[in-house]
Amino acid sequence: AVIVVLLFVTRRAVFLPRADVVTSARQQAETVAAHQELLAIINAVPAALVIMNRDGSVRLQNDAAEYLLGKAPETEAERKAYWQRFVSRDRSGRPLPVRDLAPVRALAGAEILGEEMEVQRPDGRRATILVSAAPLRDEQGAITGVAAGFQDITRLRELDRMKDEF
């Protein structure tokens, strides 16, 4: 009788977590599917989209961002080199320090909409980009990262220059 009770209790203990695991596995599969769908949508957007962590590391970037900005940095040295390729200028044309870049200011809580910057592309060419960035916050309102969008406007600037010269 003790063996039957132990077997029953053991089976019940084994079956209950399995039901939770099935539910959890189903929820996990739905979450993975939703994540894959979101990544497909993000990669279809022609603008470069980058999600950064609080420390400036890249959490996610779409294909357009990799084309425009290069491969997301994985090490601290790569991250430093990645951000040094970005240049903002003041009204007189002097480069501003890295702390004044739009994504860095967004980490401090600022919301940036349509600010011009220059970036050295992976192929070595310079590009003029339009940047918008906003802080990402957790449930308590603490900044956890930044969502930034970059649009290459180099051709538009070149057309403006040609129009002015004409």
Side-chain angles (χ1 to χ4, degrees):
V2 172
I3 293 175
V4 172
V5 170
L6 284 175
L7 184 59
F8 177 76
V9 170
T10 305
R11 284 183 161 255
R12 184 165 173 78
V14 169
F15 289 136
L16 287 176
R18 283 191 182 161
D20 290 344
V21 169
V22 170
T23 302
S24 171
R26 187 173 340 139
Q27 289 171 339
Q28 186 176 7
E30 290 171 359
T31 300
V32 167
H35 181 73
Q36 294 300 327
E37 182 177 294
L38 181 59
L39 284 176
I41 292 167
I42 288 170
N43 279 323
V45 174
L49 301 174
V50 179
I51 307 295
M52 290 167 272
N53 294 313
R54 182 92 181 114
D55 65 359
S57 61
V58 175
R59 184 182 322 165
L60 172 82
Q61 71 177 23
N62 67 355
D63 293 341
E66 188 164 332
Y67 176 76
L68 179 64
L69 309 173
K71 188 175 182 274
E74 295 178 14
T75 67
E76 183 66 32
E78 288 175 350
R79 188 179 319 144
K80 187 175 181 180
Y82 183 86
W83 289 111
Q84 287 179 344
R85 294 191 351 248
F86 290 84
V87 178
S88 280
R89 299 186 184 280
D90 64 16
R91 294 194 188 276
S92 68
R94 288 188 319 233
L96 295 170
V98 172
R99 71 175 181 272
D100 290 335
L101 295 177
V104 177
R105 293 193 339 263
L107 280 171
E111 292 189 15
I112 289 74
L113 183 61
E115 188 172 294
E116 276 190 36
M117 293 176 63
E118 292 177 10
V119 67
Q120 182 175 348
R121 296 175 41 147
D123 61 11
R125 293 183 296 151
R126 300 295 262 163
T128 303
I129 56 177
L130 201 58
V131 182
S132 294
L136 299 173
R137 299 178 186 271
D138 64 14
E139 296 82 26
Q140 291 77 35
I143 296 173
T144 60
V146 169
F150 304 88
Q151 185 176 5
D152 187 347
I153 60 168
T154 306
R155 290 184 186 190
L156 292 173
R157 288 296 166 245
E158 182 63 22
L159 287 173
D160 278 347
R161 186 190 62 76
M162 289 170 56
K163 182 182 74 169
D164 291 345
E165 288 177 359
F166 182 71

